[in-house]
Amino acid sequence: MELTVYFFFNLSLLIVLLFSGFLWAEKSKKSWSYRAIFIIYLIISLTLCFIFTYQIEGINVLFGLRKIPFIVGSLYMGLGPFLAAFIMLVRGFLGIDYGFWSTVLYYGGFAILFWRISPWFLKRSPKQRILFSVGVTFLFSFVQTFTLGIWHLPHSSFKVLFIFLVIQPIGVGIISYIIEEILMTIQLRQRTMKSKRLEAVERMGAAISHEIRNPLTVAIGFVQLLQNNAISKENHTQYLSIIKNELKSAERVIQEYLNFSNPEIKSMEPLVVQEELKQVVQSLKPLAKQNSVKIVSIFSQGEEIEGDKQKFHQCLVNIMKNAIEAMPNGGTLTVETESTPTTLGILIKDTGSGMTLEQVNRLGEPYYSTKGSKGTGLGIMVVYSIVRAMNGTIHVESEIGQGTTFKFTFPSLSPSFLEPVETKETEKELVGSR
């Protein structure tokens, strides 16, 4: 293989390896992954550069592209002394000769220099860092061509000089550019995430203040009316009842927010799903009756999951209540369970107005509600938080005019699964027209 093609192939391996490391870091999603994977990349790159070496005729020097990962790692990571020690160690295994001592001299000296200027280097702009890296590589290579006697070699001197003075600076420039793009991508993502968090906090604060201010304003108004000694006893009692209800409404909003912000379940217990679902369905019968909704329950018997009873009830109530309210002109609410050897699924289906794909994808976002100004989105946010805390998942399917299906999946405690049995008494919950 021609000498220049040989080293271009080595350079292409370094570039492909860098992209592979970046994709691996993206997949791992851990804060330490980028630095750790880049260090691994540098070590593997140096090893490859030692594999792709060339013996220059006339002098006892093994020539390779190890200068590329050395300079990049020294400037961008401040790892000059570590990388130099690794290069000296590997070069020592290949023989203690003139080439080894020249390696110690060059890489030892430049390692200390790069280690000192790395903090200054990182403060420069991306364009300045790339140009500086290329310039330093060219200077390093130019010095070697004279001190090692490469300039005066009669055989293949042009090719060797081309590799020293052109390929290595170009390689450093390409890899530096890729690193700058990666850094820019990471910074952009971090700014975007921070912006989204701030936006979520702002919208959450607006939602909480709005929902609490309304009942408090009403309560304050009726307190002012109570200060009038001329009101009747009947109105006095009525006003107190209204104040109590409004304060309970404010308390409910605060409790929903606390459940969302702190969904941790401290005490887990086995829950018989069939019994828990029956209790929730029973509590929602008056609301279903008011909306002319028929409730159909199809439960597997004896299935158990692990969780918090009160919070589990809260999840189901929030979803079923929303489903009933989505059918103001009547319909059917189906509550069903389905089992596998390891999981239990709870399906809550309605025949209401349904949602678009965009609405489904936004469920669980702060202050997002399909009810418009009438909702805060806190209820569904609480549902998502509690289900995650119980090691469960939520899948939603919906179609405009066809209804919505929420599927909750939890790890099952039951050793086997049984056939679902339709609950007869709930099948009778058909209410007359409004």
Side-chain angles (χ1 to χ4, degrees):
M1 184 182 294
E2 188 179 350
L3 187 60
T4 54
V5 176
Y6 183 76
F7 284 106
F8 267 124
F9 178 71
N10 185 7
L11 177 60
S12 66
L13 288 179
L14 300 184
I15 296 172
V16 170
L17 185 63
L18 180 60
F19 274 112
S20 301
F22 173 66
L23 294 176
W24 186 14
E26 283 285 287
K27 188 175 181 179
S28 65
K29 300 293 183 182
K30 295 179 180 178
S31 59
W32 52 264
S33 59
Y34 287 101
R35 182 176 180 85
I37 291 175
F38 191 61
I39 293 175
I40 296 173
Y41 162 76
L42 293 173
I43 295 174
I44 296 177
S45 297
L46 286 173
T47 304
L48 283 175
C49 291
F50 272 106
I51 294 174
F52 286 88
T53 55
Y54 176 75
Q55 178 72 48
I56 300 178
E57 296 181 7
I59 56 175
N60 191 21
V61 174
L62 294 175
F63 170 55
L65 299 183
R66 53 185 178 271
K67 197 182 289 93
I68 295 176
F70 169 73
I71 291 177
V72 171
S74 299
L75 293 176
Y76 279 93
M77 299 283 289
L79 297 174
F82 168 75
L83 296 176
F86 180 80
I87 292 173
M88 295 174 193
L89 178 64
V90 177
R91 184 62 182 85
F93 281 111
L94 300 178
I96 306 298
D97 49 22
Y98 171 74
F100 170 77
W101 293 114
S102 63
T103 298
V104 172
L105 175 64
Y106 285 115
Y107 284 93
F110 276 98
I112 297 174
L113 175 64
F114 292 155
W115 178 65
R116 296 295 300 270
I117 67 176
S118 178
W120 170 88
F121 171 81
L122 294 175
K123 295 178 181 179
R124 304 302 100 189
S125 67
K127 184 177 180 180
Q128 290 174 335
R129 286 197 291 261
I130 295 173
L131 293 176
F132 184 83
S133 301
V134 173
V136 165
T137 307
F138 181 83
L139 179 62
F140 192 170
S141 302
F142 189 78
V143 171
Q144 281 189 308
T145 59
F146 280 95
T147 55
L148 295 179
I150 298 174
W151 189 271
H152 305 289
L153 290 176
H155 181 68
S156 300
S157 59
F158 175 77
K159 292 181 180 179
V160 175
L161 288 174
F162 179 78
I163 295 169
F164 258 89
L165 302 179
V166 178
I167 292 183
Q168 291 193 117
I170 289 177
V172 169
I174 293 173
I175 292 179
S176 297
Y177 178 79
I178 295 173
I179 292 173
E180 293 295 343
E181 289 296 316
I182 293 173
L183 291 175
M184 187 180 301
T185 301
I186 296 172
Q187 293 171 358
L188 180 61
R189 178 183 301 144
Q190 290 174 343
R191 286 197 297 267
T192 303
M193 291 177 62
K194 183 178 180 180
S195 177
K196 286 184 176 181
R197 291 193 190 102
L198 291 175
E199 181 183 359
V201 171
E202 290 172 358
R203 299 178 71 181
M204 177 68 73
I208 298 299
S209 62
H210 173 75
E211 290 302 311
I212 293 178
R213 185 185 295 117
N214 286 343
L216 290 181
T217 301
V218 174
I220 290 172
F222 280 97
V223 167
Q224 291 174 347
L225 291 176
L226 287 175
Q227 292 175 342
N228 186 354
N229 297 327
I231 64 172
S232 63
K233 184 176 181 181
E234 181 181 351
N235 287 340
H236 188 277
T237 303
Q238 181 184 1
Y239 293 168
L240 286 176
S241 177
I242 293 174
I243 292 172
K244 181 179 179 181
N245 291 335
E246 294 298 328
L247 292 178
K248 282 185 177 180
S249 177
E251 181 188 21
R252 183 172 63 254
V253 173
I254 295 173
Q255 187 59 48
E256 287 182 341
Y257 173 73
L258 292 176
N259 287 334
F260 167 73
S261 60
N262 185 25
E264 181 182 0
I265 298 177
K266 296 181 180 180
S267 59
M268 303 280 277
E269 59 178 319
L271 304 175
V272 180
V273 175
Q274 181 185 14
E275 298 301 323
E276 306 304 329
L277 287 173
K278 283 183 178 180
Q279 293 180 28
V280 174
V281 168
Q282 186 67 27
S283 67
L284 290 173
K285 283 183 179 180
L287 181 62
K289 182 177 181 180
Q290 181 182 351
N291 288 269
S292 302
V293 173
K294 178 177 69 173
I295 301 179
V296 177
S297 303
I298 306 174
F299 302 147
S300 298
Q301 297 183 357
E303 287 292 336
E304 293 185 353
I305 63 173
E306 191 175 37
D308 181 277
K309 182 175 182 178
Q310 187 272 330
K311 292 188 176 181
F312 182 59
H313 279 208
Q314 186 178 7
C315 284
L316 299 174
V317 167
N318 285 350
I319 295 300
M320 292 187 198
K321 184 173 178 290
N322 286 345
I324 293 172
E325 292 175 349
M327 300 180 284
N329 299 318
T332 302
L333 175 63
T334 304
V335 184
E336 182 180 356
T337 61
E338 56 182 29
S339 305
T340 71
T342 58
T343 63
L344 174 70
I346 301 173
L347 284 78
I348 301 176
K349 309 175 187 177
D350 66 63
T351 56
S353 56
M355 294 181 287
T356 64
L357 180 60
E358 181 185 0
Q359 289 175 320
V360 170
N361 291 334
R362 293 193 63 184
L363 289 176
E365 289 185 11
Y367 199 46
Y368 178 74
S369 174
T370 57
K371 301 177 184 178
S373 60
K374 296 181 179 179
T376 64
L378 284 174
I380 195 69
M381 289 165 57
V382 169
V383 170
Y384 274 81
S385 297
I386 293 176
V387 169
R388 283 194 298 266
M390 291 177 58
N391 300 317
T393 60
I394 302 177
H395 178 69
V396 184
E397 293 182 356
S398 186
E399 187 176 347
I400 295 294
Q402 301 297 320
T404 302
T405 300
F406 277 81
K407 181 177 180 180
F408 300 85
T409 304
F410 297 98
S412 176
L413 295 181
S414 304
S416 61
F417 59 98
L418 306 173
E419 293 295 327
V421 178
E422 188 168 345
T423 307
K424 299 297 182 181
E425 61 271 16
T426 54
E427 178 66 32
K428 298 178 183 179
E429 285 300 318
L430 178 60
V431 187
S433 301
R434 299 175 62 187

